[in-house]
Amino acid sequence: MSSEEAPKVDVMLGLKSVLSKMEAAVARRSKDLPQITPKLIAVSKIRPPSMIVEAYQMGHRDFGENYVNELSQKANDPLILENCKDIRWHFIGHLQTNKINKLLSSPRLYMIQTVHSEKLANNLNKQWVKYRQEEAKLPVLVQVNTSGEEAKSGIEPANAYKLVEHVMKNCPNLEFKGVMTIGEYDYDMSRGPNPDFISLVKIRQEVCEKLNLDINNVELSMGMSTDYEHAIELGATCVRVGTTIFGPRPRKLQDIESD
Ligand SMILES: *Cc1c(COP(=O)(O)O)cnc(C)c1O
């Protein structure tokens, strides 16, 4: 084996272990939180289609990608089209206007987790008409920049409910499903509960109160490999995990371009 090759990773073991840790985290969750069973998004960025097929064949359906080109390439890959007919693709990256059509035309696109502005919502709402089937709405999450870092996209916490309201009132082709945050990397949990997660929980509360929504129907997408259990304890309904399932990321697949 050359040093360029990634070590063989046991996807089945990784997936099983994450799913069982998720269950244990749900059991530790405070009983006053909405008891929504969290969903696992297997983040497959920079992984070959063969690994996705492996996870799919174990019954996994939800996969996440953060570059449009990579999602589109994988969603159209013959191996995936043939073996993963019910796959659900979640887009979890920063979406630029000039990539919207490419993203929306990807087979089995299921959800966009990163709606961060009215302009993006309007564009998605307008373009989706060309790609939807049976007039189905496009499920979206509103991304909130809870950590206030400039490099991260997402709406400011104080304006989150206005963006949600805009999506609900002015974007009839989109279906508001919840809120999402990436949060600060490498947060040291010995400092107490992650403030980004606490902030997203509060934002959901506020959105539900102001817009009269049932909190049990509004998702909280937060938590990655290092902190998904913690996020679930605080109420996450959707966690996005890559490395813990698929092993350390290889540097790059040669035939996949980023955006
Ligand atoms: C890469 C990525 C993840 C998963 O990260 P891991 O540390 O590999 O689990 C989750 N969310 C987003 C938005 C990502 O880009």
Side-chain angles (χ1 to χ4, degrees), residues 110-128:
Y110 180 72
M111 177 185 271
I112 295 181
Q113 298 214 350
T114 46
V115 173
H116 53 77
S117 69
E118 289 194 3
K119 184 175 158 232
L120 179 58
N122 292 343
N123 274 321
L124 288 168
N125 182 60
K126 188 165 148 221
Q127 301 301 328
W128 180 239

Side-chain angles (χ1 to χ4, degrees), residues 43 45 47 66 92-93 180 182 185 223-226 240-244 249:
V43 178
K45 62 189 183 202
R47 314 295 178 165
N66 68 332
I92 59 172
M180 176 269 203
I182 295 180
Y185 290 117
M224 323 203 317
S225 282
T226 52
R240 311 174 308 263
V241 179
T243 314
T244 303
R249 272 188 282 279

